[in-house]
Amino acid sequence: MSTFIQTAKIADFVLSKPGLAKIAVPIASWFANAAGYRKIGLKYEDLITEENPTVQTALKRLDAKESYDRVFRLATAHQCSLSHKLLPKNEWVKTSDDKPYISQYIKEIEQENQERVLLDNIVVSKKN
Amino acid sequence: MFAISRSKVIASSTRCFSTLESAGVKIAAQQEGASAYGSKLSVVVRGGSRYNTKPGVAHVLEKFAFKNNNHKSALRLTREAELVGAQLTSGVSRENIVLSANFLKEDLEYFVQNLGAVVNGTVFNKYELVERVAPLVAAEVNHANSDPVYLATEAAYETAFRSGLGNSVLAEAHSPVTIEDVVDYASKVYNKSNIALVASGVIPADLQKFVANSYFAELSAGSALKAESVKTFSGESRIKAAGVNAVTVAFPIQGASSAALAVLAKVVGGKSHIKWANSSSLLGSVAGGVEVSTSVASFSDASLFYITISGASASAVSSAAKEAVAAIKTAAAGVSDAALAAANAQAKLEAAAVFESFSNEIVGQQALSGSKVGLASLAKVSAEQVKDAAASLLKGKTVVSVVGNTHELPHADELF
């Protein structure tokens, strides 16, 4: 299973190579726009599967305001989906507003879980 | 007649601390410890509840010890300590927060680093406060609040000193401490002016070298916290509660406690130190299934002499409270030689036990205030001094706090 830490590592690698970033970033922005989630009022990180303990814990760590905004965006998107309509163009989520807000918490939790697994399976060797 | 022959105690066998400084951090260290293999290291932080910027912030900061820091996660810190067979503990009192580690001698450098990382690098995540620290604080508060003796004593402190020393040591349910309050308080107390390291079972020169290369050396200089000057008050506090009844009769005193007060506490007495026996002190055989204890809490600039009485029956507790006040009046009239000798010995032993306790708090406080580090003089107290101490208590401020059946428990004016 690919984790957020791995994804973040790949993204950092791509961004660290100017040549690679020059090709990848425009494709990524085109893809995000074409996916259409911004047209029903969602941010990219609203699409993360939340039915697992890691993301559930991360959701609890959000600020009250962030958490409220997220629920509002999800409700808007559901309404759009039910009525088979897109939001009016001026209410689409702007590229500049489509910022990560939960991945830092998810990464922290994944890190802690990985560390726990490591420590659970630790082998102590005697130093001579 | 019964006589005990006592051998002379050689003074050099008492605990001797050498005081050092390393990169601006005060250190009190001694080479001989309690065991040949173990060492203990404590960070005594001037930041107990009397310096609270918000009710309970010191308690919350204490519970934040050994949580995630910049250098190590909370999980790794605990697991590694387990692997090397060490114990990490923290505690809070009215004057200090004490973080301690108890470990094998060869791990000294490692624990200097770890305690330094706790003091210098704890990250104070908001979610750690919500998920781990707050439940711990709440559990401790609930546990303490279920004990009427604790409630009566806390009420006595609050009535006697109001603010400062009157602050509750533990957090209070009605004043949620925010993460910003904790960060702000930590920046005030976790600096070179407000911490002292106390170690036993270590080589002082080694410790000095390790501290100079640790996160302790990178702490900011800060400024020493000043306690507001102590004022004492008379008063009464009555708390209705179900269950056990408790009465605390307290006498707040300006200035640090004297040896005479410590001996007086043993003369007045209460619960016996010997199992299944009544004590021979004045309150040693109070009837009615009532527990009595007398203590002196000594702080740098004030002290509180208090007698706590607790029991299931309110009438028995009431009559024991009257006996307690009568006992102080008896002591003010004069003390027998036998009682005085026993009290002197008990007070000495208690002072030594507190000085040598695991937390190292007293040593740290002495190092912080720059006074001489060592066990306070154990000179014999005379009958005259004890008599005067009791008389001056009765002339000074008096506090009575009761918890339980308030309609049956005595009022202050019925006791004195």
Side-chain angles (χ1 to χ4, degrees), chain B residues 50 158 161-167 228 233:
Chain B
R50 72 181 299 184
E158 199 190 336
F161 299 111
R162 298 196 183 169
S163 58
L165 286 173
N167 291 343
E228 51 179 303
F233 300 89

Side-chain angles (χ1 to χ4, degrees), chain B residues 91-281:
Chain B
V92 63
S93 66
R94 284 180 203 278
E95 298 213 86
N96 304 301
I97 295 174
V98 185
L99 315 176
S100 302
N102 204 1
F103 48 86
L104 292 173
K105 273 195 160 76
E106 59 265 33
D107 299 323
L108 175 64
E109 185 174 11
Y110 173 77
F111 281 98
V112 169
Q113 282 295 358
N114 272 357
L115 284 175
V118 168
V119 172
N120 196 4
T122 301
V123 283
F124 299 110
N125 285 316
K126 189 181 170 192
Y127 68 80
E128 278 184 298
L129 176 65
V130 177
E131 290 173 16
R132 283 160 212 169
V133 176
L136 211 57
V137 168
E140 230 172 60
V141 171
N142 282 339
H143 177 71
N145 283 347
S146 66
D147 177 13
V149 172
Y150 167 82
L151 286 178
T153 317
E154 283 297 309
Y157 269 102
E158 199 190 336
T159 315
F161 299 111
R162 298 196 183 169
S163 58
L165 286 173
N167 291 343
S168 159
V169 178
L170 302 183
E172 287 162 37
H174 61 266
S175 70
V177 174
T178 64
I179 191 72
E180 289 80 21
D181 299 332
V182 182
V183 171
D184 178 56
Y185 191 63
S187 70
K188 281 190 186 130
V189 301
Y190 283 164
N191 51 46
K192 283 179 186 167
S193 313
N194 291 307
I195 67 164
L197 293 182
V198 184
S200 52
V202 305
I203 298 167
D206 279 358
L207 180 64
Q208 198 174 17
K209 194 176 72 201
F210 294 149
V211 170
N213 296 325
S214 74
Y215 302 120
F216 283 115
E218 295 157 21
L219 276 174
S220 66
S223 58
L225 281 188
K226 288 266 182 304
E228 51 179 303
S229 61
V230 170
K231 282 199 200 92
T232 55
F233 300 89
S234 286
E236 191 169 7
S237 166
R238 306 177 70 76
I239 302 168
K240 293 187 177 80
V244 175
N245 298 286
V247 174
T248 296
V249 182
F251 305 87
I253 303 142
Q254 300 260 9
S257 169
S258 63
L261 272 179
V263 174
L264 175 64
K266 295 298 167 196
V267 169
V268 175
K271 208 163 56 181
S272 173
H273 299 278
I274 314 292
K275 255 192 175 179
W276 319 121
N278 282 339
S279 147
S280 60
S281 56

